[in-house]
């Protein structure tokens, strides 16, 4: 059994990999994953927009899938592999993931609050469709759990579509 | 030729006198300059800030729409460990203040007036302690009769929110020009209808937030998620009864505002708690309280009567508006007056009359939301025109071209339309959308029908009456010894990309590469005073101040170059970061030159200072004036499909053409238009704050249905920009933020009518209303 | 206070042991997309949560010679992407695809959807249309029953997640002539609970359009996911043509008893359920939504 409890009531030890780094931490059994990421690890790129899984601002990739970290117990991170926006570029300070680059170039960002979550939903979608052609409809579906109030989504869809095609070598 | 459609590439522009001008920075697709920190997640917003020793603030909100506070007992709550302070109405000053009407207090000690009204506030060392303390505050309420509908609130027997406000009327606006009754009597076509616009939520992704921290010299620093850093400093000083100089406001990145982020109670409560405890206090709304106690759109009931000649010439407009103010006044009165008369400067009216009541109800205080009342009236006016065209067989495009304002026109209220490509906007939209061909297409055989609708818009780029002392802006542009320019402005980028526009303007005016220019975050200790982000004024007024500062900087730079390099000023040209001397083959870089110059000046930077106070005219008693230095225009065409069995309407394609004066940054212009269109579409087709007995039933993103990516048009939003070159805007630029939304609900309503013959007069256009219309057809 | 322990057992045996040991003071959590959200407004009064997401057997979709089995902690995304279900459980795939948004589908499970017992829970409606059975494990042993029998009222299930563990759902492998599909209406295209939804399963006589059998499950038309048995009876043994389809639409509108709610008035829901039944029958008639191996993938 994993994630069993420590001596201190309510506390538990977990270990996980986040942005390619190993962590061993003691957490509260009732903590949210979002709070672990933001408050404990200080990774403020993951935002809280609603707290109820309804806006996607807190989206991270956990074991290859986009999830809302605001409604996931931190305990479940035990043994997991997690990616937040800070790890998207592969940990290189001055490098960007191609998705970050296209978002930037195509104007897919305005206020920026939804951007980290949006990027991670986009990445999960592309990873899951590796080698396949991706339509705009599929992209819209893939980011349909991420609310953006500024852009009207068009430039975001364009950016993801552009990168998806570049990746496949389609011009 | 006055305007040239911009297609994104560098364009040679006719500057009137036949002299060609080529821009090296403007008119392109420039990614926002603060995009890097946003894509990497490094951008800090108020909720991301951590200040040593920071306490967590929470607000206890009323569960009743109207109640007397008989007792607020905090004794149990105070005992929770970690609780540092709890304030109630009894513990704070009861002086009144407010942005428009002094009906605010820090916390009330007599009664609460809406479900969500502030009762008490807690500061504790953790969020958990603060939450626990909140749950232990015991309040004895005496529930009072409440009123929710503005029209009912005006009735004699309605309960009063404020004893001194008869019939719950907060403010009344009245304007009459010409002779409306006579003009109506002489009109061949007289049309009368009532429209209703609902209460909707701005839904910025970052909720309202503040961190307030006591600082040196007994000053208070506040990091705010705000559109008005400089103005809120004045208002909060008034609220806190301190000197404005003792307040320092810093605006980091802001996660959207759309009009909501003006003066806000929670900010003030954070400040009070910080001053009392001597510790920094963080106050961040959770989404539910942001819904319940934010500043949503002013709902309006609009009665409109129009008189026209048989040929479609508009002769008279008569309107009466009842607007919901909510339980205390934010900016609703100004919004109501805008709804009453701004649209009068879209058409060449000669006789107009309008009365607007802003009425208190026991509901959420309402305020600014992109469009500022003009959007509400656009829905009424542009829907009405469409119906008139249908009933009298007039062409909806031609009627707008025939009556729309033209360059050089002075409107009935004295508004001077200097630049205007309204007619060209209509032409372009018609052409791009294939309007006339689509109009001719036969109706679909399937239950899903297509339709197309048009609406035009005007707006302002600045609003003289908004802040009584002045409307204008100032800016500094500093050229550092490293050859980088930093723009200092008090105008607030809240995600629209204004800071990038400012950098482009400064770069263009000085002759720098925009890569070496940035705009500093607003910090009232350093930045010049700026009124802030509203009235679509940023690029035009703020941008013009930046332009003036950049011109001033360039002048200084040229003088120093002449001195240090022993040239005449006429011998020097600066372009894209290079300095050319006419007697020298190779240019030198600005960076190198400025370094040399700065060594002769004790290492200083060169600072250009710019001021722009446009020659606007504050409206007089008869509302005659000229409120804005420039007026933007636009034309929207919506194509929809409507399922006649389910009643659902969906966007197929959308064409938005705007007269923006000059394209500063094509990418952010498109971004504003695409965002504005979807925001308008959300409003038109479903967004609605459902309130029952004063209680909001859908205070979350699951039940308050904002458009998702899957709700965007099946096709595309096409945007086009026409350049009418306004004499006041920087390089001729006018604003885009609000015009991008103003015509959307009407364009969609008109398209729905075209598709299925159902006219929905009260927003939103729900399946139920469409089915009802179909059933009664 | 909230839970102090969070367990992630690796077998169903361990999970049951924990439930027994905690004597009703522990609660099963699968994806948590319902539980964590409910906890925000109405804190859970439990000492421990037992996360069943690490029990491999509960995450399987498989078939034997007669039935298809879907583990209780199979996520909506797993269903959407299941090649087996695309062929032999279309209604379920289509239903799962409409749940929330990708982030919710990646986490939310079919077991949670059923135990949460909302009258319009999308996969619960689909399972009801498939006449699925639910497999349950408790300290007292193993048992199974029709899914539909677990629904007691809005949010009320006969399954007690502090004592019982749902392990799987199963239904008969579709035979020749069997088709199924799902339809719903909502206020927007994603992240929206349904105004109405419908799971349809039917079996046509070979080579003609006579309905041998039919099941229609709809929501939110009652306090629980609802089988429209009167309309089913009307259609059974009948040649499915335009006139019959029209009649079926009217019949179901009369049969259901939805409530006025935030998402729509009772009348509107009645009207809409007729429309989507009609459309679903039409598409079944056109050969869409064909289940079983006869359908080309
Ligand atoms: C933003 C959002 C959108 C949503 N949209 C939809 C939608 O469109 N349609 C829809 O139907 N639902 C929707 N939901 C609800 C929810 O996602 C689904 O009901 C989901 O299937 C629940 O599964 P879960 O694994 O997350 O359940 P959990 O939250 O883990 O559990 C739900 C309940 O079931 C019990 N439980 C779970 N598994 C078992 C088991 N194996 N044995 C015994 N008891 C068990 C739990 O104790 C709890 O009582 C939405 C939720 C959110 C937050």
């Amino acid at each position: 059994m994993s994630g069993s409890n420590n001596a201190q009531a309510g506390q538990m030890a977990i270990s996980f990999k986040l942005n390619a780094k190993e962590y061993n931490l003691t957490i509260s059994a009732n903590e949210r994953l979002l709070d672990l990421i933001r408050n404990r690890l200080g990774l403020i790129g993951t935002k809280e927009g609603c707290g109820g899984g309804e806006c996607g601002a807190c989206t991270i990739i956990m074991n290859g899938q986009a999830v809302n970290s605001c409604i996931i117990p931190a305990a479940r991170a035990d043994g997991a592999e997690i990616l937040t926006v800070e790890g998207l570029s592969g940990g290189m300070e001055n490098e960007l993931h191609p998705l970050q680059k296209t978002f930037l170039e195509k104007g897919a960002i305005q206020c920026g609050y939804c951007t980290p979550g949006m990027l991670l939903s986009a990445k999960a979608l592309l990873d899951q469709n590796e080698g396949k052609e991706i339509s705009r409809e599929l992209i819209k579906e893939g980011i349909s759990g991420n609310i953006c109030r500024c852009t009207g989504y068009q430039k975001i869809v364009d950016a993801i579509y552009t990168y998806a095609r570049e990746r496949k070598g389609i011009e | 030729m006055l305007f040239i459609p911009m297609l994104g590439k560098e364009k040679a522009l006719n500057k009137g006198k036949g002299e060609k001008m080529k821009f090296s920075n403007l008119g392109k697709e420039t990614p926002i300059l603060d995009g890097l920190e946003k894509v990497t997640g490094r951008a800090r917003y108020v909720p991301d800030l951590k200040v040593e020793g920071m306490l967590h603030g929470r607000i206890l909100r009323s569960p009743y729409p109207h109640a007397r506070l008989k007792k607020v007992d905090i004794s149990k709550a105070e005992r929770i460990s970690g609780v540092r302070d709890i304030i109630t109405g009894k513990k704070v000053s009861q002086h009144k203040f407010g942005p428009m009407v002094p009906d605010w207090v820090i916390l009330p000690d007599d009664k609460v007036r809406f479900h969500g009204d502030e009762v008490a506030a807690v500061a504790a060392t953790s969020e958990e302690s603060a939450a626990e303390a909140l749950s232990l505050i015991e309040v004895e309420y005496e529930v009072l009769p409440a009123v929710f509908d503005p029209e009912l609130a005006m009735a004699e027997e309605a309960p009063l929110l404020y004893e001194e406000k008869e019939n719950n009327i907060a403010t009344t606006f009245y304007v009459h020009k010409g002779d409306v009754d006579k003009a109506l009597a002489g009109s061949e076509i007289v049309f009368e209808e009532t429209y209703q616009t609902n209460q909707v939520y701005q839904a910025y992704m970052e909720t309202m937030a503040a961190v307030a921290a006591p600082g040196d010299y007994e000053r208070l620093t506040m990091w705010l998620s705000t559109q008005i850093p400089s103005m809120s400093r004045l208002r909060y000083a008034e609220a806190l009864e301190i000197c404005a100089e003792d307040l320092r406001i810093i605006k980091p990145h802001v996660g959207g505002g759309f009009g909501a982020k003006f003066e806000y109670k929670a900010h003030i409560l954070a400040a009070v708690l910080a001053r009392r405890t001597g510790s920094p206090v963080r106050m961040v709304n959770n989404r539910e309280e942001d819904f319940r106690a934010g500043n949503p759109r002013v709902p309006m009931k609009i009665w409109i009567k129009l008189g026209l000649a048989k040929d479609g010439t508009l002769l008279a407009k008569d309107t009466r508006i009842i607007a919901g103010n909510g339980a205390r006044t934010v900016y609703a009165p100004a919004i109501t007056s805008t709804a009453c008369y701004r649209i009068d400067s879209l058409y060449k009216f000669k006789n107009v009359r309008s009365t607007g009541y802003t009425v208190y109800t026991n509901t959420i205080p309402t305020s600014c939301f992109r469009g500022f009342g003009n959007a509400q009236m656009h829905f009424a006016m542009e829907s009405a025109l469409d119906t008139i065209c249908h009933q009298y067989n007039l062409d909806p495009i031609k009627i707008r071209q025939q009556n729309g304002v033209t360059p050089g026109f002075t409107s009935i209220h004295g508004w001077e339309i200097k630049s205007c490509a309204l007619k060209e906007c209509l032409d372009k939209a018609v052409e791009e959308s294939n309007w006339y061909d689509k109009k001719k297409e036969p109706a679909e055989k399937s239950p899903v029908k297509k339709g197309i609708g048009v609406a035009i818009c005007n707006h302002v780029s600045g609003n003289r009456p908004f802040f009584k002392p002045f409307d204008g802006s100032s800016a500094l542009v500093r050229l550092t010894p490293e050859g980088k320019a930093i723009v200092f402005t008090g105008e607030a980028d809240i995600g629209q990309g204004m800071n990038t526009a400012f950098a482009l303007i400064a770069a263009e005016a000085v002759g720098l590469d925009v890569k070496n220019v940035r705009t500093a975050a607003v910090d009232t200790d350093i930045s010049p005073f700026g009124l802030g982000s509203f009235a679509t004024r940023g690029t035009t007024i703020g941008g013009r101040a930046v332009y003036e500062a950049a011109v001033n900087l360039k002048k200084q730079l040229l003088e120093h170059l002449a001195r240090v390099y022993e040239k005449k000023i006429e011998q020097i040209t600066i372009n894209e970061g290079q300095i050319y001397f006419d007697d020298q083959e190779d240019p030198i870089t600005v960076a190198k030159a400025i370094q040399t110059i700065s060594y002769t000046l004790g290492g200083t930077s060169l600072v250009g200072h710019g001021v722009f106070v446009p020659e606007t005219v504050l409206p007089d008693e008869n509302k005659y004036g000229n409120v804005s230095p420039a007026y933007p225009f636009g034309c929207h065409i919506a194509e929809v499909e409507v399922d006649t069995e389910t009643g659902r309407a969906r966007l197929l394609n959308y064409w938005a053409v705007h007269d923006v004066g000059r394209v500063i940054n094509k990418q952010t212009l498109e971004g504003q238009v695409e965002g504005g269109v979807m925001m308008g579409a959300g409003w038109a087709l479903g967004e609605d704050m459902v309130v029952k007995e004063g209680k909001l039933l859908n205070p979350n993103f699951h039940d308050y249905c904002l458009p998702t990516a899957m709700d965007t048009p099946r096709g595309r939003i096409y945007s086009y920009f026409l350049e009418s070159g306004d004499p006041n805007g920087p390089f001729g630029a006018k604003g885009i933020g609000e015009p991008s939304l103003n015509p959307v609900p009407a364009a969609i309503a008109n398209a729905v009518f075209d598709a299925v013959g159902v006219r929905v007069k009260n927003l939103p256009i729900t399946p139920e209303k469409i089915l009802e219309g179909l059933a009664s057809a | 206070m909230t839970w102090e322990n969070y367990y992630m057992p690796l077998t169903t045996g361990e999970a049951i042991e924990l439930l027994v040991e905690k004597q009703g003071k522990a609660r099963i959590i699968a994806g948590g997309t319902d539980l964590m959200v409910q906890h925000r407004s109405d804190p859970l009064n439990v000492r421990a949560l037992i996360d069943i997401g690490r029990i491999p057997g509960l995450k399987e979709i498989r078939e034997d010679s007669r039935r298809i089995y879907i583990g209780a902690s199979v996520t909506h995304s797993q269903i959407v992407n299941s090649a087996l279900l695309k062929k032999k459980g279309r209604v379920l795939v289509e239903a799962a695809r409409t749940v929330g948004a990708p982030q919710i589908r990646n986490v939310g499970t079919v077991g949670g959807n059923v135990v949460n017992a909302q009258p319009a829970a999308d996969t619960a409606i689909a399972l009801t249309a498939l006449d699925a059975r639910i497999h349950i494990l408790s300290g007292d042993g193993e048992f199974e029953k029709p899914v539909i029998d677990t629904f007691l009222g809005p949010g009320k299930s006969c399954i007690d997640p502090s004592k019982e563990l749902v392990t799987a759902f199963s239904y008969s492998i579709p035979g020749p002539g069997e088709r199924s599909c799902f339809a719903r209406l909502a206020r927007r295209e994603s992240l929206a609970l349904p105004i109405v939804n419908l799971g349809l399963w039917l079996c046509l006589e070979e080579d003609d359009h006579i309905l041998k059998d039919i099941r229609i499950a709809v929501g939110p038309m009652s306090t629980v996911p609802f089988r429209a048995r009167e309309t089913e009876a009307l259609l059974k043994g009948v040649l499915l043509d335009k006139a019959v389809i029209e009649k079926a639409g009217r019949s179901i509108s009369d049969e259901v008893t939805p409530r006025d709610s935030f998402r729509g008035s009772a009348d509107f829901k009645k009207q809409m359920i007729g429309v989507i039944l009609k459309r679903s029958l039409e598409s079944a008639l056109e050969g869409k939504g064909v289940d079983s191996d006869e359908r080309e993938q």
Side-chain angles (χ1 to χ4, degrees), chain C residues 4-47:
Chain C
E4 293 192 334
N5 293 19
Y6 195 95
Y7 299 99
M8 286 177 276
L10 301 175
T11 65
T12 53
E14 281 177 34
I16 294 299
E17 252 173 58
L18 279 165
L19 282 176
V20 171
E21 182 193 313
K22 302 283 171 188
Q23 301 182 338
K25 278 287 170 197
R27 172 93 172 252
I28 300 284
I29 179 170
T33 59
D34 278 318
L35 214 58
M36 291 295 283
V37 172
Q38 286 154 17
H39 174 66
R40 295 169 69 214
S41 50
D42 186 11
L44 292 175
N45 183 21
V46 293
R47 288 236 193 80

Side-chain angles (χ1 to χ4, degrees), chain B residues 8-169:
Chain B
K9 284 179 216 91
E10 261 180 53
K11 289 268 163 177
L13 291 173
N14 237 330
K15 276 279 284 184
K17 282 173 273 167
E19 134 226 11
K20 295 256 178 192
M21 236 188 110
K22 198 172 163 298
F23 295 125
S24 30
N25 290 290
L26 308 186
K28 300 178 183 176
E29 303 198 15
T30 309
I32 51 170
L33 300 177
D34 55 357
L36 185 66
E37 52 262 43
K38 288 173 179 173
V39 283
T40 51
R42 289 198 293 262
R44 275 179 197 271
Y45 302 77
V46 175
D48 302 326
L49 301 179
K50 287 220 165 60
V51 185
E52 193 59 38
M54 188 168 78
L55 303 175
H56 297 266
R58 283 291 301 272
I59 296 169
L60 181 70
R61 298 182 178 280
S62 168
Y64 300 105
H66 201 186
R68 199 169 303 288
L69 292 168
K70 294 185 72 182
K71 199 166 134 200
V72 183
D73 182 353
I74 58 170
S75 54
K76 282 197 191 126
E78 277 178 323
R79 269 180 252 137
I80 297 301
S81 87
V83 170
R84 289 277 304 279
D85 193 18
I86 302 179
I87 50 172
T88 63
K90 290 268 183 282
K91 288 196 180 183
V92 295
S93 160
Q94 286 297 305
H95 73 287
K96 295 200 159 51
F97 57 95
M100 291 200 77
V101 175
D103 55 10
W104 294 36
V105 286
I106 292 171
L107 285 172
D109 70 349
D110 53 351
K111 58 179 193 171
V112 284
R113 293 178 172 86
F114 72 98
H115 189 289
D117 205 350
E118 297 80 5
V119 174
V122 178
T125 50
S126 72
E127 280 183 50
E128 293 72 30
S129 302
E132 203 184 343
L134 274 198
S135 70
L136 291 172
I137 298 176
E138 290 170 359
V139 188
E140 214 177 294
Y141 295 97
E142 177 193 331
V143 178
L144 299 170
V147 62
F148 311 111
D149 177 87
E151 216 170 355
L152 296 179
M154 289 168 79
E156 281 314 319
E157 63 280 7
L160 291 181
L161 271 84
Y162 299 86
E163 288 305 323
E164 67 279 14
K165 295 286 183 183
E166 242 175 88
N167 301 115
N168 286 312
I169 295 172

